[in-house]
Amino acid sequence: MRRVVVTGMGVVTAAGQDVNQFGITLKNGRSGIKSVPEPGDLPLEIAALLTDFDVDKALGQVQGLTGELHHKARSFARRASLSIQTSIVSTVEAWLQAKLGASEVDPTQVSVVVAGQNLNRFESYTHQQKHQTAIEYLPPRYGIQFLDTDQIGTISELLEIRGEGMTVGGASASGNVGLIQGSRLIQWGVADLCVVVGALMNLSPLEVQAFKSTGALGGKTISDPSKACRPFDEDREGFIYGQGSGCLILESEESAARRRVPPIAEVAGYGMNLDGNRLTNPDSAGEVRAMAQALHTAGVSPYDVDYINTHGTSSVLGDATEIKAIQELFDEAGPTVWLNATKSLTGHCLTAAGIIEAIATIIQMNEASLHPNLNLNNPLETSCRFVGPQSQVAHINFALSNSFGFGGINSSILLKRR
């Protein structure tokens, strides 16, 4: 099958609203998690929200975005949801970084995969509150906007894409599921190029309260925002909600060479499976199988892996289960593999997390610098090679990026430095 490379990246998070800012934040270990101003729209005290995001300003800062594409992006974003707005910004950044604005590409050979589901919950909740006593005044455009496929329509029209398009869901594993599906489209020859978007999941008060009720959210006793997210620390309490979007341009190696665009990284392998469990409790056996499959498809061994960008949500059971899986698969190679959790900086961006963390992994590989694992004062496992409170110089050739979702969905992506 054809080799899949990455030629463009774009990102919007509370820890950096473009790739350059995000890279600086990673290296400096600055968290985007802050106190939520009162009164807030959500029943949250601590989160990594895009409170200062302005779509016109963000588009104006995208390098190379001019002319008709800039005009269309602004027009499409003007009355769009926050989720669509951030997808537009991250996608045009990735598109232009891949030099697609200046090159000829057959639009029928370009596909779109949007990773995420139930993306506009906040907008649905707001309309319900506003129009429940006068539903006839509901704006007609809501008939399109409440569908996740609005993301596909917007991106395909913006970039004039005519290949396949789809949304894929996998809860917190959605980003990796999107990368896997995009890679398959290229490997099978369905597309030469695939725009994979990790879309922002904009929660309403209902979903936030539901996460609170299940005990999944952190910040219960740790009131300091900078210390609330504690992946792999004995005092972790649960995940901290983060808002964000990311985009990766995947391309066949032949297509990138034909366009004379140097790859940023390669998707060398991937693995995905189910636990056969509808509940929220993870299973280390499924996580082991996902990582092992990613290595197997690339033809590498655990000894070849230099770094793992963990799922690392700061949840009590999830972190312990992931460490157990890593120790089981890597065994004697385990102490040589670097570990950190990007969520300690971005919060948990839910359906977009896999894409954002793949971008973080590629940045770290290319800069030979691993970002800190914040608030790891009392590691739950001392034999693991966690990155400490400061950035760590490390030369990474192969890296795994893990994402695990409610409903027993396990996924792992193996990235190779180019």
Side-chain angles (χ1 to χ4, degrees), residues 328-395:
E328 181 177 337
L329 177 62
F330 286 85
D331 194 20
E332 293 181 0
T336 69
V337 180
W338 287 105
L339 309 176
N340 66 11
T342 299
K343 293 180 181 72
S344 66
L345 304 172
T346 62
H348 189 353
C349 294
L350 301 174
T351 52
I355 300 292
I356 291 169
E357 288 159 23
I359 292 170
T361 301
I362 293 169
I363 291 172
Q364 292 173 95
M365 291 174 71
N366 289 338
E367 295 188 356
S369 175
L370 299 178
H371 72 68
N373 196 100
L374 297 186
N375 304 314
L376 187 57
N377 301 322
N378 189 16
L380 65 89
E381 178 53 65
T382 56
S383 65
C384 290
R385 197 183 192 188
F386 292 109
V387 180
Q390 305 296 326
S391 295
Q392 173 67 50
V393 174
H395 297 283

Side-chain angles (χ1 to χ4, degrees), residues 237-252:
E237 295 184 334
F239 80 83
I240 302 298
Y241 173 50
Q243 292 179 330
S245 172
C247 178
L248 287 174
I249 305 298
L250 303 185
E251 193 166 0
S252 72

Side-chain angles (χ1 to χ4, degrees), residues 125-411:
Y125 178 85
T126 301
H127 280 301
Q128 184 179 29
Q129 298 298 302
K130 185 176 180 179
H131 299 290
Q132 60 182 340
T133 58
I135 199 167
E136 64 273 17
Y137 293 109
L138 183 72
R141 66 179 181 275
Y142 181 67
I144 296 174
Q145 290 178 336
F146 83 89
L147 298 168
D148 293 332
T149 49
D150 189 27
Q151 298 256 354
I152 298 173
T154 299
I155 293 166
S156 63
E157 184 176 351
L158 177 65
L159 303 178
E160 301 179 3
I161 293 170
R162 299 293 185 270
E164 290 193 5
M166 66 201 73
T167 62
V168 295
S172 296
S174 294
N176 273 6
V177 174
L179 286 173
I180 291 170
Q181 184 59 29
S183 296
R184 287 171 173 166
L185 290 174
I186 293 169
Q187 289 174 327
W188 296 338
V190 175
D192 289 334
L193 186 147
C194 188
V195 179
V196 184
V197 183
L200 184 152
M201 189 177 188
N202 200 8
L203 301 182
S204 83
L206 293 178
E207 290 78 50
V208 171
Q209 186 57 52
F211 281 134
K212 278 188 171 182
S213 298
T214 63
L217 278 178
K220 294 181 276 290
T221 65
I222 303 170
S223 58
D224 183 345
S226 66
K227 298 179 181 178
C229 191
R230 314 178 65 83
F232 306 111
D233 190 83
E234 289 284 6
D235 296 325
R236 66 198 184 281
E237 295 184 334
F239 80 83
I240 302 298
Y241 173 50
Q243 292 179 330
S245 172
C247 178
L248 287 174
I249 305 298
L250 303 185
E251 193 166 0
S252 72
E253 190 174 43
E254 295 84 356
S255 174
R258 188 166 56 248
R259 297 195 307 111
R260 299 181 180 179
V261 176
I264 301 169
E266 179 180 345
V267 180
Y270 49 78
M272 182 170 63
N273 63 65
L274 300 174
D275 289 334
N277 178 14
R278 64 186 175 86
L279 301 178
T280 62
N281 53 306
D283 183 356
S284 62
E287 296 179 7
V288 168
R289 287 189 294 121
M291 290 186 285
Q293 185 182 359
L295 299 183
H296 176 73
T297 55
V300 303
S301 80
Y303 287 95
D304 295 311
V305 177
D306 304 296
Y307 160 61
I308 302 174
N309 188 300
T310 64
H311 183 57
T313 63
S314 189
S315 74
V316 175
L317 184 57
D319 286 6
T321 303
E322 185 172 11
I323 288 300
K324 180 181 178 183
I326 290 170
Q327 289 180 316
E328 181 177 337
L329 177 62
F330 286 85
D331 194 20
E332 293 181 0
T336 69
V337 180
W338 287 105
L339 309 176
N340 66 11
T342 299
K343 293 180 181 72
S344 66
L345 304 172
T346 62
H348 189 353
C349 294
L350 301 174
T351 52
I355 300 292
I356 291 169
E357 288 159 23
I359 292 170
T361 301
I362 293 169
I363 291 172
Q364 292 173 95
M365 291 174 71
N366 289 338
E367 295 188 356
S369 175
L370 299 178
H371 72 68
N373 196 100
L374 297 186
N375 304 314
L376 187 57
N377 301 322
N378 189 16
L380 65 89
E381 178 53 65
T382 56
S383 65
C384 290
R385 197 183 192 188
F386 292 109
V387 180
Q390 305 296 326
S391 295
Q392 173 67 50
V393 174
H395 297 283
I396 309 300
N397 290 313
F398 285 101
L400 282 172
S401 183
N402 290 337
S403 286
F404 310 123
F406 286 173
I409 303 169
N410 307 301
S411 69

